[in-house]
Amino acid sequence: MKFYQLDAAQRRQQLVAEGYLTSEAAAAWAQPALPSSVGQALSENTIGEFALPVGIARQLQVNGQVYQVPMATEEPSVVAAASNGARLAALNGGVTATTTAHLVTGEIVFADLPDPSKVQALITERQTVLILAAQEAHPSIVRRGGGVQLITATVLGRFLKVTVVVDTQAAMGANIVNTICEHLAAVLEQWVKQTALVAILSNASAQLTTATVTLAPETLATKAVAGAEIASRIALLSELAQVDRDRAVTHNKGIMNGVEAAVLASGNDTRAVSTSVGEYAAHTGQYQPLSTWQLDQGLLVGTLRLPLPVGIVGGAISALPRAQAVKALGRYDTVATLQQVLASLGLVQNLAALRALAGPGIQAGHMALQANALAMAAGAHGPEIGTVAKALQHTTKDLATAQALLADLRQKG
Ligand code: NDP
């Protein structure tokens, strides 16, 4: 039987047999996700937990390694599409991914200083003093090999902006950078005899991860459409996204279907990722697709580039048992590995969506899987869900039809 045809317990057993899960981890995945003490401690006014299914994007090949990527999502067909995209990429040697250094930027801003240029020069002159002050603010990150790398100052109209670049090692780094910025702000306030307007990290990120795949067109063929035609239509769709903002946003949403589901499962801050990605998509002044697909000497080359401000320790990652389990299953041993897997997942997710658009259309696959959700919306429980979803495959997929099928099933049963 194929992975998708197994039940959840059988899927866990297969991952144990493949060496991706230990028996203990498999047993833990069968238990409730959140000890109530963790839920109480992580957020406020807690009344319970909010659960989402975690599915596995299978056999994603990145830089010669094969990953099983856990994805937390409510949208039917996202995990299936990711697995399908990963399969297509693997037929072509997999995805290649690279990432730049993991640095996080903070800013300390003063308004209406009497002589901002003088303060700007002072910050350059006293760089070492400031870096030592930053080390005092967060000695543990320095002991781990990170800490402030650079402090610069820019005049922005009536504002003087001090930019602090921090190596946050294995952490996403928001709290680390905020602690450092607030401490540095106190030092600078003494120098300029004025209170800083703001001292906080920036969720914009100049650190980018790039994933690339090169595909032989024949591997993209669908039942009805030849591979070469699919490939040239994908290249055309990519070109359209560069000139049509409406298409670019939807193109990027398809990428984020994969990225955000895997970020959420990893226990990272999804808002930090989505805001930095949104800023990057518009950084040229015109909102752009995050990926491009081009024909080059008869091959289809896809490249995705995006910022991924994530970590593998700290925040909720260390507190949530499921995030720890995802980290082990995903083999996210370093921040760079996680970033490269996320970008590769986004790229193959995008590939699967574009191939569907270029071939049979999105709805054929999507609505087939949406039938389960429709059956549940109609009130189906347990085995009724599968029966109603199956019956919906041959008729109009809307709520009224699902309700009628359910009523019919109950009457007969
Ligand atoms: P933490 O504040 O949890 O700091 C990192 C933790 O990981 C520290 O306790 C650190 O230990 C520990 N650690 C263990 N090993 C390492 C290692 N190799 N490298 C680095 N740290 C290590 O997390 P972050 O600073 O990453 O902050 C992320 C959190 O901040 C997220 O939950 C996010 O939602 C939230 N946040 C986001 C904001 C934003 O995006 N605008 C704003 C504010 C908060 P030690 O103490 O010994 O150094």
Side-chain angles (χ1 to χ4, degrees), residues 105-361:
T105 299
E107 61 179 337
I108 304 156
V109 180
F110 292 89
D112 302 326
L113 288 173
D115 192 349
S117 311
K118 197 171 148 200
V119 179
Q120 199 181 6
L122 195 68
I123 285 166
T124 312
E125 230 171 76
R126 297 194 190 166
Q127 179 88 190
T128 318
V129 178
L130 287 172
I131 290 185
L132 282 173
Q135 289 176 350
E136 270 168 33
H138 212 302
S140 62
I141 195 64
V142 181
R143 281 197 298 276
R144 294 180 189 285
V148 171
Q149 290 200 339
L150 186 68
I151 302 173
T152 53
T154 336
V155 178
L156 282 180
R158 61 193 286 195
F159 303 105
L160 179 81
K161 169 174 156 169
V162 181
T163 302
V164 184
V165 179
V166 188
D167 174 349
T168 60
Q169 294 285 297
M172 177 266 189
N175 288 320
I176 295 171
V177 172
N178 286 348
T179 301
I180 292 173
C181 282
E182 287 191 3
H183 187 85
L184 286 179
V187 174
L188 291 167
E189 282 170 358
Q190 285 180 359
W191 293 2
V192 301
K193 309 271 180 288
Q194 194 178 307
T195 307
L197 180 65
V198 68
I200 192 169
L201 92 154
S202 167
N203 281 106
S205 175
Q207 314 307 320
L208 302 176
T209 303
T210 306
T212 306
V213 68
T214 302
L215 304 147
E218 58 272 19
T219 59
L220 296 171
T222 64
K223 277 184 198 139
V225 189
E229 192 181 335
I230 299 263
S232 63
R233 285 175 67 87
I234 288 177
L236 208 53
L237 281 164
S238 171
E239 203 179 316
L240 172 65
Q242 286 169 40
V243 295
D244 174 21
R245 201 168 58 163
D246 291 340
R247 177 86 273 279
V249 176
T250 318
H251 179 103
N252 288 346
K253 195 278 181 177
I255 292 168
M256 297 311 284
N257 273 341
V259 173
E260 208 148 324
V263 168
L264 180 60
S266 76
N268 271 285
D269 185 331
T270 52
R271 293 81 59 205
V273 171
S274 61
T275 47
S276 70
V277 167
E279 186 278 338
Y280 176 69
H283 80 284
T284 58
Q286 190 194 339
Y287 188 91
Q288 283 289 299
L290 298 162
S291 71
T292 57
W293 295 86
Q294 282 166 329
L295 281 165
D296 183 7
Q297 298 179 18
L299 299 173
L300 183 67
V301 182
T303 303
L304 167 66
R305 190 166 290 126
L306 77 176
L308 287 164
V310 292
I312 56 163
V313 296
I317 304 160
S318 305
L320 289 171
R322 276 295 142 83
Q324 288 294 306
V326 162
K327 185 171 143 182
L329 179 49
R331 298 188 173 166
Y332 303 149
D333 298 333
T334 63
V335 174
T337 304
L338 174 56
Q339 289 169 324
Q340 289 164 7
V341 168
L342 290 173
S344 302
L345 180 70
L347 185 67
V348 301
Q349 193 85 51
N350 186 215
L351 170 64
L354 292 176
R355 179 170 174 258
L357 276 178

